[in-house]
């Protein structure tokens, strides 16, 4: 069973379009994240949710809007896509249980804006 | 704000040899977590090793070990008996509360 799953894995779209990336975790974790990995592989935190509440918003343009309908899901909607939005987007969830603290990542969504 | 610095953009090592990847971080907190994640070409993020700041003993996981120097805010990763499958991007990461911040990464190439 996939612990953190993102859909789609690949997304090619034109400038100006609106698109969504979905993320689901079946681990029962309270905290979830969205990261953007640019062409230089730098991982930048975008948002973090804890039990459906937004707790971190890292100066991301308003065109990016996360939504958490429940604590197992964290979706990312992007309006008016720009060329600079092309990147790999990772969803992750965080556990701090008795097994240790660890972030589990989805497989990433490669977004290409043309 | 917490920052994580990896000063080595790229490293190479011969198969079966040992290599050390550097990481420093900046924080005013006393309780936090540190991690090394590996990202192979498949782009999957894989946890290599983790360290709780309150533990003085350095973490080890098979061929992977860390040198955690809390006062110096240093957290280096040592890979022993390097294998071709270790070729990947390695990220150092810092967790304070719920904020998980990554360094810029080090590309490690293992040569046969």
């Amino acid at each position: 069973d996939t612990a953190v799953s993102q859909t789609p894995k690949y997304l090619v779209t034109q400038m100006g379009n609106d698109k969504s990336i979905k993320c689901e975790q079946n681990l029962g974790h309270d905290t979830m994240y969205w990261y953007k990995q640019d062409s230089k592989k730098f991982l930048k935190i975008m948002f973090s949710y804890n039990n459906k509440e937004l707790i971190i918003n890292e100066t991301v343009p308003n065109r990016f809007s996360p939504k958490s309908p429940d604590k197992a899901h964290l979706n990312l909607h992007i309006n008016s896509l720009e060329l600079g939005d092309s990147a790999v987007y990772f969803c992750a969830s965080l556990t701090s249980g008795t097994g240790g603290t660890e972030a589990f990542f989805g497989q990433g969504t490669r977004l290409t804006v043309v | 704000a917490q920052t994580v610095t990896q000063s080595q953009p790229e490293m190479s090592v011969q198969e079966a040899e040992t290599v050390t990847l550097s990481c420093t971080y900046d924080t005013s907190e006393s309780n936090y977590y540190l991690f090394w994640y590996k990202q192979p070409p498949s782009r999957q993020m894989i946890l290599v090793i983790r360290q709780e700041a309150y533990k003085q003993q350095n973490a080890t996981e098979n061929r992977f070990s860390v040198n955690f120097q809390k006062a110096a805010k240093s957290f280096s990763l040592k890979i022993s008996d390097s294998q071709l499958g270790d070729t990947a991007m390695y990220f150092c990461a810092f967790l304070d509360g719920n904020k998980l911040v990554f360094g810029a990464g080090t590309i490690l190439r293992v040569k046969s």
Side-chain angles (χ1 to χ4, degrees), chain A residues 17-19 63-64 76-81 85 89 111:
Chain A
N17 283 350
D18 303 338
K19 290 292 178 186
R63 300 182 295 103
F64 291 79
L76 183 65
H77 188 75
I78 316 170
N79 290 327
S80 303
L81 278 153
D85 298 332
Y89 292 83
L111 171 66

Side-chain angles (χ1 to χ4, degrees), chain B residues 20-88:
Chain B
T20 298
L21 307 184
S22 302
C23 173
T24 59
Y25 57 94
D26 186 28
T27 183
S28 57
E29 301 296 325
S30 59
N31 193 23
Y32 48 85
Y33 295 84
L34 294 159
F35 307 88
W36 280 97
Y37 277 85
K38 167 184 175 180
Q39 187 179 40
S42 66
R43 85 173 182 232
Q44 182 64 43
M45 294 288 288
I46 303 163
L47 178 68
V48 175
I49 198 166
R50 64 185 152 215
Q51 175 83 41
E52 293 93 335
Y54 65 86
K55 289 187 178 178
Q56 293 186 343
Q57 187 173 7
N58 288 326
T60 61
E61 288 286 343
N62 301 314
R63 298 182 295 108
F64 300 88
S65 61
V66 298
N67 183 0
F68 174 47
Q69 301 288 328
K70 190 173 184 179
K73 297 179 182 174
S74 170
F75 183 61
S76 60
L77 173 70
K78 185 170 86 171
I79 306 174
S80 304
D81 186 23
S82 297
Q83 300 175 0
L84 295 177
D86 295 333
T87 293

Side-chain angles (χ1 to χ4, degrees), chain A residues 44-103:
Chain A
K44 179 174 167 38
I45 188 169
M46 300 173 69
F47 302 103
S48 177
Y49 272 71
N50 183 270
N51 207 4
K52 302 192 298 176
E53 302 266 339
L54 178 66
I55 55 172
I56 295 173
N57 182 341
E58 287 287 306
T59 59
V60 178
N62 290 338
R63 300 182 295 103
F64 291 79
S65 53
K67 283 190 171 51
S68 182
D70 55 61
K71 77 173 194 177
H73 295 84
L74 180 60
N75 304 323
L76 183 65
H77 188 75
I78 316 170
N79 290 327
S80 303
L81 278 153
E82 301 177 357
L83 293 176
D85 298 332
S86 295
V88 178
Y89 292 83
F90 283 96
C91 175
S93 70
L94 181 73
T95 181
S96 299
T98 53
T101 298
E102 180 178 351

Side-chain angles (χ1 to χ4, degrees), chain A residues 9-10 31 33 35 37 41-43 45 55-56 58 90 99-103 105-108 110, chain B residues 33 35 37 39 42-47 50 52 89 91 95 97-105:
Chain A
K9 287 183 69 173
Y10 298 94
T31 302
Y33 303 90
Y35 285 87
Q37 186 173 44
K41 305 293 186 186
F42 184 68
L43 274 162
I45 188 169
I55 55 172
I56 295 173
E58 287 287 306
F90 283 96
T101 298
E102 180 178 351
F105 284 79
Q107 71 272 44
R110 180 176 292 280
Chain B
Y33 295 84
F35 307 88
Y37 277 85
Q39 187 179 40
S42 66
R43 85 173 182 232
Q44 182 64 43
M45 294 288 288
I46 303 163
L47 178 68
R50 64 185 152 215
E52 293 93 335
M89 175 76 96
F91 291 98
L95 177 67
N98 284 320
K99 190 165 184 178
L100 181 63
V101 176
F102 286 84

